[in-house]
């Protein structure tokens, strides 16, 4: 089965539903591996832009892959599901989820996509859910497809992705593991062929059942969030006990059983995935009759991380009313223009509410920050952004920060104060430039 849809060579004919960060990166990477890919999005403007070779968001290497795919005709963009799945052997569902909170509707995009795929699916189609979903979703998708098309022979599988924004292409082409949750050998075979070059390069393939793959994906993100909140909890404790959290996490992290990554204390985690996935896992547990209170604490400590920085800024400038505060960084993390659930914006809102004037510099995300929060001032130039400020706050750990001429930055400020909410700068250098340097997770001098 499916042989008639195989392309010359070993290429697989693939449909990708949704051209968000996961869908577009997946589609462009699969095309670069020699498959023929049709990416579908209902947003015609987005499709038109993609047909011109322009990605709708910043992701290193993506524009080139899209351009190459279009030029070699291995990648095309369509605006109907019917066109995308025509002749496809595998269809990936990569649609987004609305924010958790709009609980019961939160997976309706996945359901709608499954229904639309079923309507036009060729016989033997393997429907793969890539969107991050709670365990049990594959079963639901299979029910929807079967209800929609009683005549259809199909399979459903889970193939979660672990790509990080800002490194999405690299993570997709050179992942540290591939996870496939499927029940049939035929499905496993299709996915093995799809990922053959990656598997040949030595990547581990973990084959499991769909519910396990779904839970593993959600719990990976929640665990990363847990590590960050652990570090932030330690930061609060260090501030009160005279310890230095930066050293504490270095010591902790040098135990290979713990690991140093994701123990960076600061403003906390943001973005499209971690906050939602912590909430989704907690809700999944609660619906299943298990009170996973640890996850509520993870979220609480994350909210508290921003509040701690608000207090630190207040402490540094005394009265916020009428003062200018410069935020160095708006993106939820470096390497992206994404400000979704960015802690910098929560901080900005709190400072604006207290009467401060807030100006933001970010090498990629300043425009998006101002769209989200029009009361913000923005500047393309960090030195200009700092003019007249009583305090600068490091919100995103951009590598560009370490190249700043701190003397120049401080020269234009009303007061030379830096709150380093990512513990990213060199303290000696900041002090040498005349700054009062306030890191996170250390008692005030
Ligand atoms: C996250 C996961 O890392 C990916 O594996 C996963 O595939 C992805 O979600 C997803 O589900 O699509 P991403 O949202 O790109 O990736 O962001 P991360 O790199 O995980 O960073 C999340 C947040 O944690 C950022 O706001 C970052 O600043 C913060 N962080 C990270 C810290 O506060 N401290 C740290 O030590 C590390």
């Amino acid at each position: 089965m499916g042989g008639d849809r195989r392309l010359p060579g070993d290429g697989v004919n693939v449909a990708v539903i949704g051209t968000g960060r996961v869908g577009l990166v997946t589609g462009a990477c699969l095309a670069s591996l020699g498959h023929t890919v049709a990416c579908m999005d209902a947003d015609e403007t987005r499709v038109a832009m993609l047909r011109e070779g322009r990605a709708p968001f910043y992701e290193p290497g993506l524009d080139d892959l899209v351009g190459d795919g279009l030029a070699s005709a291995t990648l095309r963009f369509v605006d109907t599901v019917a066109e995308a799945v025509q002749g496809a052997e595998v269809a990936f569902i990569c649609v987004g989820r609305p924010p958790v909170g709009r609980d019961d509707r939160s997976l309706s995009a996945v359901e709608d996509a499954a229904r639309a795929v079923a309507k036009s699916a060729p016989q033997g189609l393997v429907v793969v859910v890539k969107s991050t979903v709670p365990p049990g979703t594959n079963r639901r998708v299979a029910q929807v497809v079967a209800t929609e098309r009683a005549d259809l022979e199909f399979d459903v599988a889970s193939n979660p992705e672990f790509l990080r924004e800002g490194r999405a292409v690299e993570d997709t082409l050179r992942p540290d593991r591939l996870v496939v949750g499927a029940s049939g050998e035929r499905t496993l075979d299709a996915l093995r062929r799809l990922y053959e070059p990656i598997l040949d390069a030595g990547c581990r393939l973990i084959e499991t059942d769909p519910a396990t793959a779904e839970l593993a994906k959600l719990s990976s993100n929640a665990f990363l969030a847990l590590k960050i909140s652990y570090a932030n909890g330690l930061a609060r404790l260090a501030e009160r006990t005279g310890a230095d959290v930066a050293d504490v996490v270095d010591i902790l992290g040098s135990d290979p059983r713990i690991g140093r990554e994701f123990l960076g204390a600061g403003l906390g985690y943001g973005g499209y995935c971690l906050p939602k996935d912590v909430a989704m896992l907690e809700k999944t547990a609660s619906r299943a009759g298990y009170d996973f209170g640890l996850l509520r604490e993870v979220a609480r400590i994350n909210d508290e991380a921003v509040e701690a920085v608000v207090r630190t800024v207040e402490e540094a400038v005394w009265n916020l009313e009428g003062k200018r505060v410069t935020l160095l960084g708006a993106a939820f993390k470096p390497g992206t223009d994404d400000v979704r659930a960015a802690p910098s914006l929560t901080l900005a809102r709190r400072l604006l509410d207290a009467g401060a004037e807030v100006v933001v510099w970010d090498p990629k995300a300043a425009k998006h920050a101002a769209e989200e929060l029009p009361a913000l001032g923005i500047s393309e130039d960090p030195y200009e952004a700092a003019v007249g400020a009583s305090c600068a706050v490091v919100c995103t750990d951009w590598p560009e920060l370490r190249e700043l001429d701190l003397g120049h930055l401080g020269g234009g400020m009303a007061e030379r104060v830096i709150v380093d909410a990512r513990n990213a700068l060199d303290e000696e250098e900041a002090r040498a430039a005349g700054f009062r340097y306030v890191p996170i997770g250390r008692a005030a001098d």
Side-chain angles (χ1 to χ4, degrees), residues 113-373:
R115 211 174 288 287
V117 166
K119 277 201 175 83
S120 326
Q123 288 298 335
L125 185 71
V126 177
V127 181
V128 183
V129 181
K130 232 184 202 322
S131 307
T132 302
V133 290
T137 305
N138 261 248
R139 192 172 38 79
R140 293 281 196 178
V141 166
Q143 280 167 359
V144 166
V145 176
T147 310
E148 199 64 42
R149 280 279 300 281
D151 67 304
L152 189 71
E153 239 189 275
F154 69 96
D155 273 327
V156 177
S158 165
N159 173 217
E161 52 71 33
F162 299 91
L163 58 86
R164 291 159 289 182
E165 281 186 31
R167 304 181 57 162
V169 169
E170 178 65 20
D171 283 350
T172 305
L173 291 174
R174 274 169 281 279
D176 43 27
R177 78 285 214 196
L178 277 169
V179 177
V180 175
S183 40
E185 197 45 45
R186 190 178 71 86
T187 305
L188 282 169
D189 173 61
L191 288 161
R192 281 192 211 114
R193 274 190 289 120
L194 203 59
Y195 292 123
E196 198 175 296
I198 296 174
L199 297 172
D200 285 351
C203 177
R204 180 176 175 210
L205 173 66
I206 303 173
E207 297 173 356
T208 183
D209 61 89
T212 302
E214 290 166 332
L215 182 57
K217 163 65 198 192
L218 261 188
S219 56
S220 292
N221 277 359
F223 190 78
L224 294 172
L226 180 135
K227 282 190 86 175
I228 298 166
S229 280
Y230 191 71
N232 280 321
L234 290 174
R236 302 292 80 79
L237 189 55
E239 283 156 6
R240 290 161 173 78
T241 57
D244 181 345
V245 80
D247 288 347
V248 171
V249 296
D250 268 347
I251 296 164
L252 266 178
S254 44
D255 181 335
R257 292 172 302 175
I258 297 173
R260 174 64 184 84
E261 285 192 65
F262 279 72
L263 284 178
L267 259 190
Y269 59 81
Y272 188 62
C273 303
L274 264 51
K276 271 188 184 184
D277 291 349
V278 170
M280 186 179 266
L281 187 58
E282 197 272 332
K283 187 161 159 278
T284 300
S286 134
R287 278 191 174 161
Y290 177 61
D291 179 19
F292 210 156
L294 175 65
L295 297 172
R296 286 194 297 280
E297 268 306 282
V298 168
R300 186 193 65 75
I301 293 174
N302 198 51
D303 293 343
E304 184 187 78
V306 176
E307 290 309 313
V309 175
V310 174
R311 283 195 302 274
T312 307
V313 174
E314 246 166 6
E315 182 61 35
V317 306
W318 191 20
N319 294 300
L320 280 165
E321 181 89 53
K323 301 263 171 67
R324 177 176 289 190
V325 178
T326 300
L327 303 188
L328 299 173
F332 82 96
K333 67 172 192 177
T336 177
D337 60 355
D338 196 347
V339 296
R340 289 176 297 178
S344 61
L345 293 189
T346 314
L347 173 67
R349 279 192 193 92
R350 295 280 285 103
L351 297 173
L352 287 166
D353 287 350
E357 183 196 345
V358 182
V359 182
V360 168
W361 163 81
D362 188 289
K364 294 271 181 241
K367 204 165 64 78
H368 288 160
E371 281 161 11
E372 192 74 21
L373 199 52

